[in-house]
Amino acid sequence: MKDETKCLHSGYSPKNGEPAVMPIVQSTTYRFDTTERIGELFDMPTAPMYSRFANPTVDAVEQKIADLEGGVGAMCTSSGQAASLLSILNLCKAGDSFISTSTIYGGTVNLFAVTLKRFGIECIFVDAEASEEELDQAFKENTRAVFGETLANPALAVLDIEKFAKVAHKHKVPLIIDNTFATPILCKPFEFGADIVVHSTSKYMDGHALQVGGVIVDSGNFDWTNGNFPEFTEPDDSYHGVIYTRDFGKMAYIIKARMQLMRDFGCFPAAHSAFLLNLGLETLPVRMKQYCENALKVAKFFKASDKIEEVHYAALEGDKYYERAKKYLPNGTCGVITIVIKGGKANAVKFMDGLKLASNEVHVADIRTCVLHPASATHRQLTEEQLVACGINPGMIRFSVGLENVDDILADIKQSLDLV
Ligand SMILES: *Cc1c(COP(=O)(O)O)cnc(C)c1O
């Protein structure tokens, strides 16, 4: 099936007389006839038994997303942050390290650089444009994974996924890709060698700014028996001696994440949230196409304006990442554009406050056009010098193009730029 069909039919196949839409199974528990049956489920979790780690409504959405990414299994989480966290904790324990590109979502930088450090896990940050040889040198004896973003938020840099997959595999560790901005409609990282994909489903996948959520998807391709991952190949004492690679084969990673981490942390989404996420996914291909169409027109408009110093949008001819985007994102590079307005922060604020249709929001990749000023929001604590050092220009604006008629979006930009 093609993506449009999967978005409507994957994950749930109603039988004769059953509801056409996956119902919300609003129940924490499931009733069983015998004690023996419950015992069997503890041995081989083939059916939900408690909604801290599995639920039929969530399960249907997980299968749909796994199918869209081309993976063998998926696990939803209560936020994108939880997905990133568990994707690493499933591989690293105190004393281990992993590598991440430095151009990733600000919240993930904090999680990796500060919070995981407190748990004894080191993140080694690398330049996404580093050569293979430079990347080789970043690896240590205890390095267990490599992490990057398809389309970095907010720099909008396109990652060379194949380069990172090659280097990770040379060092016998998996590549994890945050595919939030691209969604599986615009890029499928597994096709370029990534092993695990994570998403914040709060963005385009939900699509309507209704509920925060995340997901981890397993390609099933990584060889966990390569000697580097004893937790996958030796008995799990916390689960009566299960051996993940022996008992679950290609699904070892995603089952281990559920049986160990979701069981213990319980950051599982509510059935109602999964129902809303499914609704968003049904129209994802149509929406992504329109986001790309609208954003390209807006990017061209910004490019032509003499009040705008820089436009970052990989689908725009002349962009630093234009050629790479043709390979990884041939059908478009999402609806988010980063611009730098002339005149620094004062003009950025004037332009943003002058917008009437687009709203000032702490959100991105939303159905409604929204803007955010990194220097006075996500990076507020930094001095002007520090802002420059981490690539946040005081005049930088993250412009997230929505699904309003593009002429209305352009008219709004025009009237506000006229004030600057
Ligand atoms: C928003 C975002 C996250 C975090 O997701 P939440 O659902 O807000 O927890 C992670 N990665 C990227 C790229 C994001 O944009």
Short mmCIF file of all heavy atoms in Angstrom, two decimals, residues 241-282:
data_model
loop_
_atom_site.label_atom_id
_atom_site.label_comp_id
_atom_site.label_asym_id
_atom_site.label_seq_id
_atom_site.Cartn_x
_atom_site.Cartn_y
_atom_site.Cartn_z
N GLY A 241 14.29 -13.86 33.15
CA GLY A 241 15.25 -14.46 32.23
C GLY A 241 14.95 -14.39 30.75
O GLY A 241 15.52 -15.14 29.96
N VAL A 242 14.08 -13.48 30.35
CA VAL A 242 13.83 -13.28 28.91
C VAL A 242 15.15 -12.91 28.22
O VAL A 242 15.96 -12.16 28.77
CB VAL A 242 12.80 -12.13 28.73
CG1 VAL A 242 12.94 -11.45 27.38
CG2 VAL A 242 11.39 -12.66 28.90
N ILE A 243 15.36 -13.45 27.02
CA ILE A 243 16.50 -13.01 26.20
C ILE A 243 15.89 -12.38 24.95
O ILE A 243 15.26 -13.06 24.13
CB ILE A 243 17.42 -14.19 25.82
CG1 ILE A 243 18.04 -14.79 27.10
CG2 ILE A 243 18.52 -13.74 24.85
CD1 ILE A 243 18.94 -16.00 26.86
N TYR A 244 16.05 -11.06 24.82
CA TYR A 244 15.27 -10.32 23.82
C TYR A 244 15.56 -10.77 22.39
O TYR A 244 14.65 -10.94 21.60
CB TYR A 244 15.48 -8.81 24.00
CG TYR A 244 14.86 -8.35 25.30
CD1 TYR A 244 15.64 -8.11 26.43
CD2 TYR A 244 13.48 -8.22 25.42
CE1 TYR A 244 15.07 -7.74 27.63
CE2 TYR A 244 12.90 -7.85 26.63
CZ TYR A 244 13.69 -7.61 27.73
OH TYR A 244 13.12 -7.26 28.92
N THR A 245 16.84 -10.95 22.05
CA THR A 245 17.14 -11.34 20.66
C THR A 245 16.64 -12.76 20.38
O THR A 245 16.13 -13.04 19.30
CB THR A 245 18.65 -11.25 20.38
OG1 THR A 245 19.34 -11.88 21.44
CG2 THR A 245 19.09 -9.82 20.23
N ARG A 246 16.78 -13.66 21.34
CA ARG A 246 16.35 -15.05 21.14
C ARG A 246 14.82 -15.14 21.09
O ARG A 246 14.25 -15.79 20.22
CB ARG A 246 16.88 -15.93 22.29
CG ARG A 246 16.50 -17.40 22.16
CD ARG A 246 16.68 -18.14 23.48
NE ARG A 246 15.74 -17.68 24.51
CZ ARG A 246 15.83 -18.00 25.80
NH1 ARG A 246 16.82 -18.75 26.24
NH2 ARG A 246 14.93 -17.55 26.67
N ASP A 247 14.15 -14.44 21.99
CA ASP A 247 12.70 -14.61 22.12
C ASP A 247 11.89 -13.71 21.18
O ASP A 247 10.75 -14.03 20.85
CB ASP A 247 12.27 -14.34 23.57
CG ASP A 247 12.92 -15.31 24.53
OD1 ASP A 247 13.46 -16.33 24.05
OD2 ASP A 247 12.92 -15.06 25.75
N PHE A 248 12.46 -12.59 20.76
CA PHE A 248 11.67 -11.64 19.96
C PHE A 248 12.30 -11.28 18.61
O PHE A 248 11.75 -10.46 17.87
CB PHE A 248 11.37 -10.38 20.77
CG PHE A 248 10.63 -10.68 22.04
CD1 PHE A 248 11.26 -10.62 23.27
CD2 PHE A 248 9.30 -11.09 22.00
CE1 PHE A 248 10.59 -10.93 24.45
CE2 PHE A 248 8.61 -11.41 23.17
CZ PHE A 248 9.26 -11.33 24.40
N GLY A 249 13.44 -11.86 18.31
CA GLY A 249 14.07 -11.69 16.99
C GLY A 249 14.20 -10.25 16.57
O GLY A 249 14.76 -9.42 17.28
N LYS A 250 13.63 -9.92 15.42
CA LYS A 250 13.75 -8.59 14.83
C LYS A 250 13.11 -7.50 15.68
O LYS A 250 13.38 -6.32 15.50
CB LYS A 250 13.10 -8.57 13.44
CG LYS A 250 14.01 -9.08 12.34
CD LYS A 250 13.36 -8.89 10.99
CE LYS A 250 14.32 -9.10 9.83
NZ LYS A 250 15.51 -8.27 9.85
N MET A 251 12.21 -7.91 16.59
CA MET A 251 11.52 -6.89 17.40
C MET A 251 12.18 -6.71 18.77
O MET A 251 11.59 -6.11 19.68
CB MET A 251 10.05 -7.25 17.56
CG MET A 251 9.29 -7.15 16.24
SD MET A 251 7.55 -7.46 16.42
CE MET A 251 7.00 -6.00 17.25
N ALA A 252 13.40 -7.20 18.91
CA ALA A 252 14.08 -7.17 20.22
C ALA A 252 14.11 -5.77 20.84
O ALA A 252 13.77 -5.60 22.02
CB ALA A 252 15.50 -7.71 20.08
N TYR A 253 14.48 -4.76 20.04
CA TYR A 253 14.64 -3.41 20.60
C TYR A 253 13.31 -2.85 21.11
O TYR A 253 13.21 -2.34 22.24
CB TYR A 253 15.23 -2.48 19.53
CG TYR A 253 15.35 -1.03 19.96
CD1 TYR A 253 16.51 -0.55 20.56
CD2 TYR A 253 14.30 -0.14 19.75
CE1 TYR A 253 16.62 0.77 20.96
CE2 TYR A 253 14.41 1.19 20.15
CZ TYR A 253 15.57 1.64 20.75
OH TYR A 253 15.67 2.95 21.15
N ILE A 254 12.28 -2.95 20.29
CA ILE A 254 11.03 -2.27 20.64
C ILE A 254 10.29 -3.03 21.76
O ILE A 254 9.63 -2.42 22.60
CB ILE A 254 10.15 -2.04 19.37
CG1 ILE A 254 9.18 -0.89 19.61
CG2 ILE A 254 9.42 -3.28 18.90
CD1 ILE A 254 9.82 0.48 19.66
N ILE A 255 10.45 -4.35 21.80
CA ILE A 255 9.81 -5.13 22.89
C ILE A 255 10.56 -4.87 24.20
O ILE A 255 9.94 -4.71 25.25
CB ILE A 255 9.82 -6.63 22.54
CG1 ILE A 255 9.03 -6.84 21.25
CG2 ILE A 255 9.30 -7.46 23.72
CD1 ILE A 255 7.74 -7.57 21.35
N LYS A 256 11.87 -4.79 24.11
CA LYS A 256 12.65 -4.49 25.33
C LYS A 256 12.26 -3.11 25.87
O LYS A 256 12.11 -2.92 27.08
CB LYS A 256 14.15 -4.53 25.00
CG LYS A 256 15.07 -4.18 26.14
CD LYS A 256 16.53 -4.37 25.71
CE LYS A 256 17.52 -3.84 26.72
NZ LYS A 256 17.51 -2.39 26.87
N ALA A 257 12.07 -2.14 24.98
CA ALA A 257 11.69 -0.79 25.41
C ALA A 257 10.37 -0.84 26.18
O ALA A 257 10.18 -0.16 27.18
CB ALA A 257 11.57 0.13 24.20
N ARG A 258 9.44 -1.66 25.70
CA ARG A 258 8.13 -1.73 26.36
C ARG A 258 8.21 -2.54 27.66
O ARG A 258 7.71 -2.11 28.70
CB ARG A 258 7.10 -2.37 25.42
CG ARG A 258 5.66 -2.18 25.89
CD ARG A 258 4.66 -2.89 24.99
NE ARG A 258 4.69 -2.45 23.62
CZ ARG A 258 3.98 -1.43 23.12
NH1 ARG A 258 3.17 -0.76 23.89
NH2 ARG A 258 4.09 -1.10 21.84
N MET A 259 8.87 -3.70 27.59
CA MET A 259 8.87 -4.59 28.76
C MET A 259 9.69 -4.04 29.91
O MET A 259 9.35 -4.27 31.07
CB MET A 259 9.35 -5.99 28.35
CG MET A 259 8.26 -6.74 27.58
SD MET A 259 8.80 -8.28 26.77
CE MET A 259 9.04 -9.38 28.14
N GLN A 260 10.79 -3.35 29.60
CA GLN A 260 11.59 -2.79 30.70
C GLN A 260 11.20 -1.35 31.01
O GLN A 260 10.83 -1.01 32.12
CB GLN A 260 13.08 -2.79 30.33
CG GLN A 260 13.72 -4.15 30.27
CD GLN A 260 15.21 -4.04 29.91
OE1 GLN A 260 15.65 -3.07 29.31
NE2 GLN A 260 15.97 -5.05 30.28
N LEU A 261 11.31 -0.49 29.98
CA LEU A 261 11.24 0.95 30.26
C LEU A 261 9.81 1.45 30.43
O LEU A 261 9.52 2.21 31.35
CB LEU A 261 11.96 1.72 29.15
CG LEU A 261 13.45 1.38 29.00
CD1 LEU A 261 14.04 2.09 27.80
CD2 LEU A 261 14.20 1.76 30.26
N MET A 262 8.90 1.04 29.54
CA MET A 262 7.53 1.52 29.70
C MET A 262 6.90 0.92 30.95
O MET A 262 6.17 1.59 31.67
CB MET A 262 6.70 1.21 28.44
CG MET A 262 5.41 1.98 28.37
SD MET A 262 5.63 3.78 28.50
CE MET A 262 5.94 4.23 26.80
N ARG A 263 7.22 -0.35 31.21
CA ARG A 263 6.73 -0.98 32.44
C ARG A 263 7.15 -0.16 33.67
O ARG A 263 6.35 0.08 34.57
CB ARG A 263 7.31 -2.41 32.56
CG ARG A 263 6.99 -3.11 33.87
CD ARG A 263 7.90 -4.31 34.11
NE ARG A 263 9.30 -3.90 34.27
CZ ARG A 263 10.32 -4.74 34.41
NH1 ARG A 263 10.12 -6.04 34.36
NH2 ARG A 263 11.54 -4.29 34.56
N ASP A 264 8.42 0.28 33.69
CA ASP A 264 8.94 0.94 34.89
C ASP A 264 8.67 2.45 34.93
O ASP A 264 8.50 3.01 36.00
CB ASP A 264 10.45 0.70 35.00
CG ASP A 264 10.76 -0.76 35.33
OD1 ASP A 264 9.80 -1.54 35.52
OD2 ASP A 264 11.95 -1.11 35.39
N PHE A 265 8.66 3.11 33.77
CA PHE A 265 8.47 4.57 33.77
C PHE A 265 7.02 4.96 33.53
O PHE A 265 6.57 6.00 33.99
CB PHE A 265 9.36 5.23 32.71
CG PHE A 265 10.83 5.17 33.01
CD1 PHE A 265 11.76 5.36 32.01
CD2 PHE A 265 11.29 4.94 34.29
CE1 PHE A 265 13.12 5.32 32.27
CE2 PHE A 265 12.64 4.89 34.57
CZ PHE A 265 13.56 5.07 33.56
N GLY A 266 6.29 4.15 32.77
CA GLY A 266 4.86 4.39 32.57
C GLY A 266 4.50 5.68 31.86
O GLY A 266 3.40 6.22 32.08
N CYS A 267 5.38 6.18 30.98
CA CYS A 267 5.04 7.41 30.25
C CYS A 267 4.27 7.05 28.98
O CYS A 267 4.70 7.33 27.87
CB CYS A 267 6.30 8.22 29.94
SG CYS A 267 7.66 7.22 29.33
N PHE A 268 3.12 6.41 29.19
CA PHE A 268 2.32 5.88 28.09
C PHE A 268 1.16 6.83 27.80
O PHE A 268 0.59 7.42 28.71
CB PHE A 268 1.77 4.50 28.51
CG PHE A 268 1.37 3.63 27.35
CD1 PHE A 268 2.31 3.23 26.41
CD2 PHE A 268 0.05 3.21 27.20
CE1 PHE A 268 1.94 2.43 25.35
CE2 PHE A 268 -0.31 2.41 26.13
CZ PHE A 268 0.64 2.01 25.20
N PRO A 269 0.79 7.00 26.51
CA PRO A 269 -0.30 7.93 26.21
C PRO A 269 -1.67 7.37 26.61
O PRO A 269 -1.86 6.16 26.67
CB PRO A 269 -0.21 8.09 24.69
CG PRO A 269 0.45 6.86 24.21
CD PRO A 269 1.37 6.39 25.30
N ALA A 270 -2.61 8.26 26.81
CA ALA A 270 -3.99 7.86 27.07
C ALA A 270 -4.63 7.38 25.76
O ALA A 270 -4.26 7.84 24.68
CB ALA A 270 -4.77 9.05 27.62
N ALA A 271 -5.59 6.48 25.88
CA ALA A 271 -6.28 5.96 24.69
C ALA A 271 -6.92 7.10 23.90
O ALA A 271 -6.89 7.10 22.67
CB ALA A 271 -7.34 4.94 25.12
N HIS A 272 -7.46 8.07 24.61
CA HIS A 272 -8.11 9.18 23.92
C HIS A 272 -7.11 9.98 23.08
O HIS A 272 -7.41 10.43 21.97
CB HIS A 272 -8.81 10.09 24.93
CG HIS A 272 -9.64 11.17 24.29
ND1 HIS A 272 -9.28 12.49 24.33
CD2 HIS A 272 -10.78 11.10 23.57
CE1 HIS A 272 -10.18 13.20 23.66
NE2 HIS A 272 -11.10 12.39 23.20
N SER A 273 -5.89 10.15 23.61
CA SER A 273 -4.85 10.85 22.85
C SER A 273 -4.49 10.07 21.59
O SER A 273 -4.28 10.66 20.52
CB SER A 273 -3.59 11.03 23.71
OG SER A 273 -3.87 11.89 24.78
N ALA A 274 -4.41 8.74 21.72
CA ALA A 274 -4.08 7.91 20.55
C ALA A 274 -5.19 8.01 19.51
O ALA A 274 -4.92 8.02 18.29
CB ALA A 274 -3.89 6.46 20.98
N PHE A 275 -6.41 8.11 19.95
CA PHE A 275 -7.55 8.26 19.03
C PHE A 275 -7.42 9.56 18.23
O PHE A 275 -7.59 9.59 17.01
CB PHE A 275 -8.85 8.25 19.84
CG PHE A 275 -10.09 8.45 19.02
CD1 PHE A 275 -10.69 7.39 18.36
CD2 PHE A 275 -10.67 9.72 18.91
CE1 PHE A 275 -11.83 7.58 17.59
CE2 PHE A 275 -11.81 9.91 18.14
CZ PHE A 275 -12.40 8.84 17.49
N LEU A 276 -7.07 10.64 18.93
CA LEU A 276 -6.89 11.94 18.25
C LEU A 276 -5.68 11.91 17.33
O LEU A 276 -5.72 12.47 16.23
CB LEU A 276 -6.75 13.06 19.29
CG LEU A 276 -7.99 13.34 20.13
CD1 LEU A 276 -7.67 14.35 21.22
CD2 LEU A 276 -9.14 13.84 19.27
N LEU A 277 -4.62 11.24 17.76
CA LEU A 277 -3.43 11.13 16.91
C LEU A 277 -3.79 10.38 15.62
O LEU A 277 -3.38 10.77 14.52
CB LEU A 277 -2.32 10.40 17.67
CG LEU A 277 -1.06 10.06 16.88
CD1 LEU A 277 -0.42 11.30 16.26
CD2 LEU A 277 -0.04 9.35 17.78
N ASN A 278 -4.58 9.33 15.77
CA ASN A 278 -4.99 8.56 14.58
C ASN A 278 -5.77 9.43 13.60
O ASN A 278 -5.58 9.37 12.39
CB ASN A 278 -5.84 7.36 15.01
CG ASN A 278 -6.23 6.52 13.81
OD1 ASN A 278 -5.38 6.07 13.06
ND2 ASN A 278 -7.53 6.35 13.61
N LEU A 279 -6.62 10.27 14.15
CA LEU A 279 -7.41 11.18 13.31
C LEU A 279 -6.49 12.11 12.52
O LEU A 279 -6.69 12.35 11.33
CB LEU A 279 -8.33 11.98 14.22
CG LEU A 279 -9.67 12.46 13.69
CD1 LEU A 279 -10.48 11.30 13.14
CD2 LEU A 279 -10.45 13.16 14.81
N GLY A 280 -5.47 12.61 13.19
CA GLY A 280 -4.49 13.46 12.51
C GLY A 280 -3.76 12.71 11.42
O GLY A 280 -3.57 13.21 10.31
N LEU A 281 -3.35 11.49 11.73
CA LEU A 281 -2.57 10.70 10.76
C LEU A 281 -3.36 10.42 9.48
O LEU A 281 -2.78 10.32 8.40
CB LEU A 281 -2.14 9.37 11.39
CG LEU A 281 -1.04 9.47 12.44
CD1 LEU A 281 -0.86 8.12 13.15
CD2 LEU A 281 0.27 9.92 11.83
N GLU A 282 -4.68 10.31 9.61
CA GLU A 282 -5.50 9.96 8.44
C GLU A 282 -5.33 10.96 7.29
O GLU A 282 -5.38 10.60 6.12
CB GLU A 282 -6.98 9.85 8.84
CG GLU A 282 -7.24 8.62 9.70
CD GLU A 282 -8.70 8.35 9.99
OE1 GLU A 282 -9.54 9.29 9.93
OE2 GLU A 282 -9.03 7.20 10.30
#
